[in-house]
Amino acid sequence: MNVREPDWAYVAKSLVKVVAVTAALLLVLGVGERVLWLFVDFDDERTAQVYGTAARVVNPDKRLANGHTDGGGLRGTTYTLWGEPRKAGPSEGEEEYEIVENSFGSVRAPSLDGPSGSLAYAIDSVREAPDVDEGLKEAARKAIDALPQTLDAVAVVEFAGTMTTDRLVAFNRRHSICGGEDVSYLYSLSSYDDSSDPPAVNAVVWNRGMTKDGFSAEVTYQCETEPVAALAEFRRWVGLLNEGDDLDEFDLYYELLTEDAEDGGVYGLVVDRWKLADLRKLLDDPEVRTVHLADVAFDLGEADQSRQIS
């Protein structure tokens, strides 16, 4: 059987043509994209506002702060967030998290689809209609009393019933709680039921700085009355949404979010790096059902300072 030798000159010409056509298509795409920038608003700012905020809402186990887009274009928009795990101890370093919205409006955010770890478990432990259970509160007291009261903690303060904004402001005043980056509001609970539609819904954990990048310099918190401003900002954000936004990746749903914003009830607080002694005091308030500890750690900076003083 005779095997013909390949015509290598023809193969080379074909490869050159393929490379040339591919390069030409990429050039046309690039030029077309630049021209379209003059006439089409790719609205990467809205991508940041809608999807960047959604990622912060459903990932309270991470401190997600500054973000930036790649400018968007025909192939879509990539919004990159920087963040670190929400731990009671020192920072473990920041990581990059990407949210990719393609040109058809579909969104992918595989690393930002919901919380994990002990804080996720603490949030999942909050009940919509909790029973009065003094045994549960007593168990929390014993757990906290068994630890040094100067430890920093990440925790969920679960209320005995849904708190209106007015009641929450009164609660803050009783305990001198000042709104800020270390206090977030649990407006909706997580759920999972494979027989329902949708089968899974993430909790809505809201902090007023979530709609801002680099919010520490841009948001003026209002101390005890912060719940009023927080609810207003939550409602403003929900007002930016429309039914066409692809929030499925975050297990958030337009209809449910609008209901949560209208209701405005708070099931609990997610608190970041509070002293155990301050959490222990809240257990004496009848408005508090229990405290779920997620993480504790010594404040090493505080320990170093005390050694220098001594």
Side-chain angles (χ1 to χ4, degrees):
M1 181 177 178
N2 294 326
V3 180
R4 293 182 60 186
E5 186 71 22
D7 186 345
W8 294 110
Y10 176 77
V11 171
K13 288 180 181 178
S14 298
L15 286 174
V16 170
K17 287 181 180 178
V18 169
V19 171
V21 169
T22 302
L25 287 173
L26 290 173
L27 179 61
V28 169
L29 183 62
V31 172
E33 195 168 79
R34 291 181 183 180
V35 171
L36 279 176
W37 267 110
L38 300 175
F39 305 100
V40 178
D41 181 9
F42 289 109
D43 208 1
D44 53 306
E45 183 178 344
R46 190 170 189 280
T47 299
Q49 281 285 296
V50 172
Y51 300 119
T53 300
R56 292 179 174 107
V57 165
V58 302
N59 289 275
D61 59 322
K62 301 176 181 69
R63 296 186 188 96
L64 297 170
N66 294 320
H68 62 86
T69 66
D70 61 354
L74 291 176
R75 287 159 288 185
T77 299
T78 298
Y79 181 64
T80 304
L81 281 164
W82 286 91
E84 63 179 9
R86 193 180 299 278
K87 299 289 187 181
S91 171
E92 297 177 1
E94 290 189 326
E95 298 178 31
E96 263 190 10
Y97 300 93
E98 285 190 347
I99 302 168
V100 180
E101 181 186 15
N102 67 25
S103 55
F104 300 101
S106 296
V107 172
R108 293 185 299 103
S111 299
L112 295 170
D113 56 356
S116 61
S118 56
L119 184 54
Y121 180 78
I123 292 170
D124 288 343
S125 299
V126 178
R127 297 288 174 260
E128 185 166 1
D131 299 325
V132 176
D133 188 345
E134 283 299 323
L136 189 63
K137 184 178 281 193
E138 188 57 31
R141 285 194 184 97
K142 288 181 178 179
I144 292 174
D145 288 346
L147 298 167
Q149 299 300 288
T150 55
L151 287 179
D152 286 343
V154 173
V156 176
V157 179
E158 180 179 358
F159 294 134
T162 309
M163 296 275 268
T164 63
T165 302
D166 290 343
R167 285 174 60 196
L168 191 49
V169 168
F171 178 85
N172 283 1
R173 284 178 172 149
R174 281 200 303 278
H175 298 286
S176 299
I177 295 174
C178 192
E181 296 175 53
D182 59 352
V183 181
S184 299
Y185 306 94
L186 189 55
Y187 284 121
S188 181
L189 303 181
S190 55
S191 65
Y192 178 78
D193 182 355
D194 57 8
S195 65
S196 68
D197 185 24
V201 179
N202 269 320
V204 173
V205 180
W206 184 264
N207 181 286
R208 191 158 64 93
M210 285 180 173
T211 54
K212 304 286 186 182
D213 283 336
F215 58 82
S216 60
E218 298 179 34
V219 175
T220 301
Y221 289 100
Q222 299 182 13
C223 216
E224 291 96 338
T225 61
E226 177 65 19
V228 177
L231 180 57
E233 185 66 8
F234 178 49
R235 287 173 171 166
R236 187 194 70 80
W237 178 70
V238 172
L240 294 175
L241 308 178
N242 60 59
E243 294 187 56
D245 293 324
D246 182 14
L247 297 172
D248 291 355
E249 184 78 352
F250 308 104
D251 284 336
L252 292 175
Y253 302 93
Y254 177 78
E255 294 82 3
L256 297 178
L257 284 169
T258 54
E259 290 174 10
D260 296 334
E262 183 178 353
D263 178 68
V266 175
Y267 295 90
L269 306 176
V270 176
V271 299
D272 190 3
R273 289 174 172 164
W274 276 30
K275 295 298 182 185
L276 280 183
D278 296 325
L279 285 168
R280 175 65 172 77
K281 293 173 185 175
L282 296 185
L283 288 169
D284 296 328
D285 193 307
E287 299 268 31
V288 174
R289 180 175 183 248
T290 191
V291 170
H292 305 276
L293 293 180
D295 190 39
V296 295
F298 284 104
D299 184 339
L300 298 180
E302 190 175 79
D304 289 342
Q305 187 177 30
S306 65
R307 279 200 296 270
Q308 291 171 5
I309 293 173
S310 63

